[in-house]
Amino acid sequence: MAKPTPLSGFPEWLPDGRIVEQHVLDTLRHTFELHGFAGIETRAVEPLDQLLRKGETSKEVYVLSRLQGEDGVEKADPAGREKQLGLHFDLTVPFARYVLENAGRLAFPLRRYQIQKVWRGERPQDGRFREFIQADIDVVGAGELPYHFEVEAPLVMAEALGALREIGLPPVRILVNNRRVAEGFYRGIGLGDVEGVLRQIDKLDKVGPDKVSELLVTECGATEDQAKACLALAGISGSDVGVIAEVRALAESYGAVTELLETGLGELEALIGAAARRAPGVVVADLKIARGLDYYTGSVYETVLVGHEQLGSVCSGGRYDTLASDGKNTYPGVGLSIGVSRLVSRLLSAELVRATRSVPSAVLVAVAAEEQRAVSDGVAAALRARGIPVEVAPSAAKFGKQIKYADRRGIPFVWFPGTVGEDGAVGADQVKDIRSGEQVDADAATWEPSAEDRWPRVVPAS
Amino acid sequence: MAKPTPLSGFPEWLPDGRIVEQHVLDTLRHTFELHGFAGIETRAVEPLDQLLRKGETSKEVYVLSRLQGEDGVEKADPAGREKQLGLHFDLTVPFARYVLENAGRLAFPLRRYQIQKVWRGERPQDGRFREFIQADIDVVGAGELPYHFEVEAPLVMAEALGALREIGLPPVRILVNNRRVAEGFYRGIGLGDVEGVLRQIDKLDKVGPDKVSELLVTECGATEDQAKACLALAGISGSDVGVIAEVRALAESYGAVTELLETGLGELEALIGAAARRAPGVVVADLKIARGLDYYTGSVYETVLVGHEQLGSVCSGGRYDTLASDGKNTYPGVGLSIGVSRLVSRLLSAELVRATRSVPSAVLVAVAAEEQRAVSDGVAAALRARGIPVEVAPSAAKFGKQIKYADRRGIPFVWFPGTVGEDGAVGADQVKDIRSGEQVDADAATWEPSAEDRWPRVVPAS
């Protein structure tokens, strides 16, 4: 077999990179669970018709077919004989299906997190993954879902991402907006094509205000003055409730204060106020945040890494009135999704973080001679019984070579079982810290590494 | 959307089932890491030609194609424009590729574990999964791999599965054999088609000895006497080294003692001896264990749950001289793979285990009135800061309803923030254990649940 080359868009890490990724996943999971979110995992596939319900994503789906026939010739099942399946491209579609399928056995409001791979069948472009891990939280109600969950969800994410600062993740800024504010304002100034306007506003960062203004006129039937008003609204941002007064003043100047606008402003104010108390400086109202997806109905969120804004949003979401619906119930929800692989890829490629070693082992137990391997195995078992990760040297090579084995993997300690001296007495075991060279007598029944050395840690690289 | 129905072969769990699965995965991971195995994760897809290198598996592969075109019509890429991709059906093929791809950046011998989903594109039959989680450990060397790893690998798995006994997993029995013993014996009695004989012996449990004897004669050209010898060998089993003498005596009675047989017996004896010391009663030599796959060259392993032998092997593997090979190096290895989904499915369907609750939260903080939600949020934050999982009640309903919310999810404690009395003084917070009904004054800065109550646990169901 020739040396294989990586598949573009399918990231994989070496063992030390995986330690970083695993640490990120563990940290997210721990924070989500501290906030009472229950983990679920859904199958990787969904019926194709469900994945394609939103036409815009149809290009991104990987479709599965089974290999059949004796000689390995590909044969798709004849249509209708079996439902066609595709890999999920996000965790929202499968979660909606899971909620409907299990509605009678779930307790609502349901707080769930879900950390899984998703796949997008696109041609890989720069920085685009075709397989990546997402970490989602959502709160879903049956029939209704109070507004306060729209305040809570981004704050949970702020805490989860904030917990990664100690390993070197830059601080995050969560940009929030409210669809009701946008819609209320647009309708107030006489623009009825709300989705169309949002779609143009969403392009602001890419094409700039002049072009967006032009598009609002040509695509959405806006007058120059209406376009100007939309851009003025999009220009408002701030992390305190003063931003609410600013929006209201703008709306008043256009005679555009509507009931919907006031509802939205009340919600946005509650979110900004609570965020200022609970996570000062993290949440910023940014009236240009539009989010492309048309199912958001209230708050919308995007998250940037401060100083790395050009990476785009690493965690996005919003409130939707209809996650799913069967004959009896409608399930509204609010949630956010972190693109974990993008985050980890950035942490590794920018060398912001590193693992303190590439293997779990804190100790390598040396082997003096193959016939004495059982002695070393015994030491290892005694250490493991007290929760210390250990491996035994692969061969009874010269001790210098065994120390090199540990050094290459970053294993901090090498353990030497006591040997039988010329007088027949068994010497004490010794353990060597190969970083300092210090070697001391030690007893496998009581010796402890420092808390810092017990497991590999993830630390800022600098 | 109509109520969706489950897809046969794609298991999913409710939140409390997922707690059980997550506990199993955490336990396996912890044991593997205690033994110094580093975790890796590979992409879900491999080039189809790599997946199909072994013809026998060709029916089981899911092939991916991308949806293209504006109208969502499926169009596979023209041949050659892009390599066809399939979902991996095990973790060995991707690991072999990973080793070759990264050989220059990995340290050998490499101890790795890998816990991931795999997919098999087969028609689902009773108990057959099309998507399931495997947990693999392997030790892989560059050029060589000492025999002692064949002793270590099954003992690590014995410890990992043994750690699950406390939640109600039945004890395991690891059945071991050695290809060299079988091959040495068969050649010693004059049978050259070793793989053919192994294939027939593998059918013993299914079709019985009479049929196997017949097949050995008709398919492998054996005489009646040779067939009888093969069955006699397959009939030997035992957990102490006496089994070695038994095999040797049988071989001697046929004049079939070969050098290869003696090598194999020496290895098997070392394995049985070490296992008897390190995990008494767990490992049993069973000379009929053949393992269908032809790439095993030394030890082979199967694992049954004692009392549930009809489930078949839940953890299998063996030694292979060539996991992978490039121009320069050959990578021999030894490893075992646990079918986690089958195990969890069995634990849940047989109601052997249960989670103590369906959500992470140990405490529900009640909300006296919506205007006082911030007070409850403050209590929750104080408890979480000390690592206690908490959620706040979804609405300021009557306390009875809030307690019911906790009860339905198994949340043991409900917290009542102190209220302002008629005299203006703030009363103490109180916490109620809703199982006993006991309610006491409590301070969010110091109160602790018992260690048993802090997180949901997985316990035997009986």
Side-chain angles (χ1 to χ4, degrees):
Chain A
M1 186 176 171
K3 186 179 151 104
T5 49
L7 277 179
S8 170
F10 291 91
E12 285 184 339
W13 318 121
L14 288 170
D16 58 345
R18 175 61 183 166
I19 288 174
V20 171
E21 181 173 79
Q22 187 70 66
H23 177 85
V24 170
L25 297 175
D26 288 346
T27 303
L28 297 178
R29 172 183 160 194
H30 181 68
T31 308
F32 299 159
E33 292 185 347
L34 271 182
H35 286 262
F37 287 78
I40 69 160
E41 193 155 293
T42 58
R43 64 192 188 222
V45 304
E46 297 295 332
L48 196 55
D49 54 355
Q50 288 306 311
L51 292 171
L52 299 183
R53 281 204 300 166
K54 297 189 185 303
E56 77 221 83
T57 57
S58 63
K59 287 182 197 160
E60 301 183 355
V61 176
Y62 275 122
V63 185
L64 302 190
S65 54
R66 295 164 56 224
L67 277 183
Q68 288 183 319
E70 296 302 65
D71 48 2
V73 175
E74 180 184 357
K75 253 189 271 175
D77 281 327
R81 239 182 75 201
E82 188 175 61
K83 244 185 172 177
Q84 266 206 304
L85 301 175
L87 293 175
H88 58 219
F89 54 82
D90 71 8
L91 301 177
T92 305
V93 171
F95 178 51
R97 190 263 314 154
Y98 179 94
V99 164
L100 287 186
E101 189 175 316
N102 299 294
R105 298 179 289 171
L106 296 169
F108 294 96
L110 172 66
R111 305 160 71 83
R112 89 85 175 77
Y113 75 88
Q114 193 169 346
I115 301 178
Q116 285 185 249
K117 284 189 178 159
V118 304
W119 294 270
R120 303 212 174 156
E122 44 196 343
R123 297 214 163 272
Q125 294 163 25
D126 197 17
R128 282 243 176 136
F129 290 140
R130 297 195 280 181
E131 173 180 72
F132 55 97
I133 301 173
Q134 283 196 340
D136 283 25
I137 58 167
D138 286 87
V139 184
V140 170
E144 52 162 19
L145 189 77
Y147 175 74
H148 63 77
F149 289 114
E150 292 177 54
V151 178
E152 181 183 9
L155 291 174
V156 174
M157 280 303 196
E159 196 172 311
L161 292 166
L164 294 171
R165 287 195 61 181
E166 67 183 46
I167 66 164
L169 187 77
V172 298
R173 183 174 299 133
I174 302 184
L175 311 173
V176 305
N177 194 2
N178 188 299
R179 277 282 165 92
R180 292 188 170 90
V181 172
E183 182 172 349
F185 184 87
Y186 299 154
R187 291 196 189 282
I189 62 172
L191 282 173
D193 178 12
V194 174
E195 282 178 27
V197 174
L198 283 170
R199 220 168 12 248
Q200 303 311 330
I201 293 294
D202 203 25
K203 298 176 184 165
L204 254 177
D205 282 346
K206 272 191 201 146
V207 303
D210 291 349
K211 181 71 186 166
V212 167
S213 179
E214 186 190 320
L215 287 166
L216 286 170
V217 172
T218 58
E219 301 292 316
C220 308
T223 65
E224 295 282 341
D225 202 44
Q226 286 170 328
K228 201 176 138 207
C230 291
L231 287 173
L233 180 69
I236 295 175
S237 74
S239 64
D240 63 47
V241 293
V243 79
I244 305 299
E246 212 176 321
V247 174
R248 192 174 284 122
L250 179 72
E252 277 166 358
S253 78
Y254 282 92
V257 178
T258 60
E259 204 182 310
L260 188 62
L261 176 72
E262 280 300 336
T263 305
L265 284 177
E267 292 184 352
L268 193 55
E269 184 169 8
L271 174 49
I272 297 295
R277 279 195 312 277
R278 290 165 61 177
V282 172
V283 173
V284 175
D286 189 337
L287 278 292
K288 77 168 184 295
I289 299 299
R291 303 289 304 139
L293 299 166
D294 57 9
Y295 53 77
Y296 292 121
T297 53
S299 303
V300 288
Y301 319 104
E302 294 194 351
T303 311
V304 293
L305 298 177
V306 176
H308 303 259
E309 287 79 0
Q310 79 289 355
L311 280 181
S313 179
V314 296
C315 172
S316 311
R319 152 89 187 205
Y320 35 86
D321 282 344
T322 312
L323 171 74
S325 179
D326 51 26
K328 281 185 305 211
N329 272 304
T330 293
Y331 298 90
V334 59
L336 294 96
S337 175
I338 299 180
V340 176
S341 298
R342 187 206 293 231
L343 210 60
V344 170
S345 171
R346 177 67 183 178
L347 287 170
L348 293 173
S349 67
E351 297 187 351
L352 293 171
V353 306
R354 66 178 178 87
T356 52
R357 54 187 188 255
S358 65
V359 297
S361 311
V363 180
L364 176 76
V365 183
V367 175
E370 266 322 312
E371 313 83 71
Q372 290 166 45
R373 176 168 294 277
V375 175
S376 301
D377 285 338
V379 170
L383 292 169
R384 281 186 204 116
R386 293 185 296 106
I388 301 166
V390 183
E391 60 187 281
V392 176
S395 76
K398 284 184 179 157
F399 282 153
K401 205 174 156 194
Q402 297 190 43
I403 291 169
K404 210 171 246 169
Y405 174 99
D407 191 42
R408 175 145 189 220
R409 289 158 177 80
I411 301 173
F413 298 100
V414 177
W415 191 285
F416 301 98
T419 50
V420 181
E422 288 185 3
D423 58 355
V426 180
D429 287 12
Q430 291 206 312
V431 64
K432 183 191 195 79
D433 183 329
I434 65 171
R435 296 160 300 188
S436 65
E438 190 192 16
Q439 185 164 336
V440 297
D441 285 1
D443 180 345
T446 54
W447 178 86
E448 291 273 345
S450 72
E452 291 221 320
D453 285 336
R454 181 177 287 251
W455 292 100
R457 285 172 306 120
V458 177
V459 296
S462 54
Chain B
M1 187 176 171
K3 186 180 151 104
T5 50
L7 277 179
S8 170
F10 291 90
E12 285 185 338
W13 318 122
L14 289 169
D16 57 345
R18 174 62 182 168
I19 288 174
V20 171
E21 180 173 80
Q22 187 71 65
H23 177 85
V24 170
L25 296 174
D26 288 346
T27 302
L28 297 177
R29 172 182 160 194
H30 180 69
T31 307
F32 300 159
E33 292 185 348
L34 270 182
H35 286 263
F37 287 78
I40 69 159
E41 193 156 294
T42 58
R43 64 189 188 221
V45 303
E46 297 295 332
L48 196 55
D49 54 354
Q50 288 306 311
L51 292 171
L52 299 183
R53 282 204 300 165
K54 298 191 186 301
E56 78 221 82
T57 56
S58 63
K59 286 182 198 163
E60 302 183 354
V61 176
Y62 275 122
V63 185
L64 301 190
S65 55
R66 295 164 57 224
L67 278 184
Q68 289 183 319
E70 294 302 69
D71 48 2
V73 176
E74 179 184 357
K75 253 189 274 176
D77 281 329
R81 240 181 75 201
E82 186 174 62
K83 247 188 172 176
Q84 266 206 303
L85 301 175
L87 293 175
H88 57 219
F89 53 82
D90 70 8
L91 301 177
T92 306
V93 171
F95 178 50
R97 189 262 314 154
Y98 180 93
V99 164
L100 288 186
E101 188 176 316
N102 299 294
R105 298 179 289 170
L106 296 169
F108 294 96
L110 172 67
R111 307 159 70 84
R112 89 85 173 77
Y113 75 88
Q114 194 168 346
I115 301 178
Q116 285 186 248
K117 284 189 177 159
V118 304
W119 294 268
R120 302 212 175 155
E122 44 195 345
R123 297 214 163 273
Q125 294 162 27
D126 198 16
R128 283 242 176 136
F129 290 139
R130 298 195 278 180
E131 173 181 74
F132 55 97
I133 300 173
Q134 284 196 339
D136 284 24
I137 59 168
D138 285 88
V139 184
V140 170
E144 53 163 18
L145 189 76
Y147 175 75
H148 64 77
F149 289 115
E150 293 176 55
V151 179
E152 181 183 10
L155 292 174
V156 174
M157 279 303 195
E159 197 173 310
L161 292 166
L164 294 172
R165 287 195 62 181
E166 66 183 47
I167 65 162
L169 188 76
V172 297
R173 184 175 298 132
I174 301 184
L175 312 173
V176 305
N177 194 3
N178 188 299
R179 276 284 165 91
R180 292 188 172 89
V181 172
E183 181 171 352
F185 184 86
Y186 299 154
R187 292 196 189 282
I189 61 172
L191 283 174
D193 179 11
V194 175
E195 281 178 27
V197 175
L198 283 171
R199 218 165 17 244
Q200 302 310 330
I201 293 293
D202 203 24
K203 298 175 185 167
L204 254 178
D205 283 345
K206 270 190 203 148
V207 302
D210 291 349
K211 181 70 186 168
V212 167
S213 179
E214 186 190 320
L215 288 166
L216 286 170
V217 173
T218 57
E219 302 291 317
C220 309
T223 64
E224 296 282 342
D225 202 43
Q226 286 170 326
K228 201 177 136 207
C230 291
L231 287 174
L233 180 69
I236 295 174
S237 72
S239 62
D240 63 47
V241 293
V243 81
I244 305 298
E246 212 178 321
V247 174
R248 191 174 286 121
L250 179 72
E252 278 166 357
S253 77
Y254 281 92
V257 178
T258 60
E259 204 182 310
L260 188 61
L261 176 72
E262 282 298 338
T263 305
L265 285 177
E267 292 184 352
L268 193 54
E269 185 169 8
L271 174 48
I272 297 294
R277 279 195 311 277
R278 289 165 62 179
V282 171
V283 173
V284 175
D286 188 339
L287 277 293
K288 77 169 185 294
I289 299 299
R291 303 289 304 137
L293 299 167
D294 57 8
Y295 53 75
Y296 292 121
T297 53
S299 303
V300 288
Y301 320 104
E302 294 194 350
T303 310
V304 293
L305 299 178
V306 176
H308 303 257
E309 287 79 0
Q310 78 290 355
L311 279 182
S313 178
V314 296
C315 172
S316 311
R319 153 89 186 204
Y320 36 86
D321 282 344
T322 312
L323 170 75
S325 178
D326 52 27
K328 281 186 305 215
N329 273 303
T330 294
Y331 299 89
V334 59
L336 294 97
S337 175
I338 300 181
V340 177
S341 297
R342 188 205 293 234
L343 211 60
V344 171
S345 171
R346 178 68 182 174
L347 288 170
L348 293 174
S349 66
E351 297 187 353
L352 294 171
V353 305
R354 66 178 178 87
T356 52
R357 54 185 188 256
S358 65
V359 296
S361 311
V363 180
L364 176 76
V365 182
V367 175
E370 266 322 312
E371 314 82 71
Q372 290 165 45
R373 175 167 295 277
V375 176
S376 301
D377 286 338
V379 169
L383 292 169
R384 282 188 203 113
R386 292 184 298 107
I388 302 167
V390 183
E391 60 187 280
V392 175
S395 76
K398 285 185 179 154
F399 282 154
K401 205 175 158 195
Q402 297 191 42
I403 291 170
K404 209 171 246 172
Y405 174 99
D407 191 42
R408 175 147 190 216
R409 290 158 178 80
I411 301 173
F413 298 101
V414 177
W415 191 285
F416 301 97
T419 50
V420 182
E422 287 185 4
D423 58 354
V426 180
D429 287 11
Q430 291 206 311
V431 65
K432 182 191 196 79
D433 183 330
I434 65 171
R435 296 160 302 187
S436 66
E438 191 192 16
Q439 185 165 337
V440 296
D441 284 1
D443 181 345
T446 55
W447 178 85
E448 291 273 346
S450 71
E452 292 221 320
D453 285 335
R454 181 177 287 251
W455 291 100
R457 286 172 306 120
V458 177
V459 296
S462 55

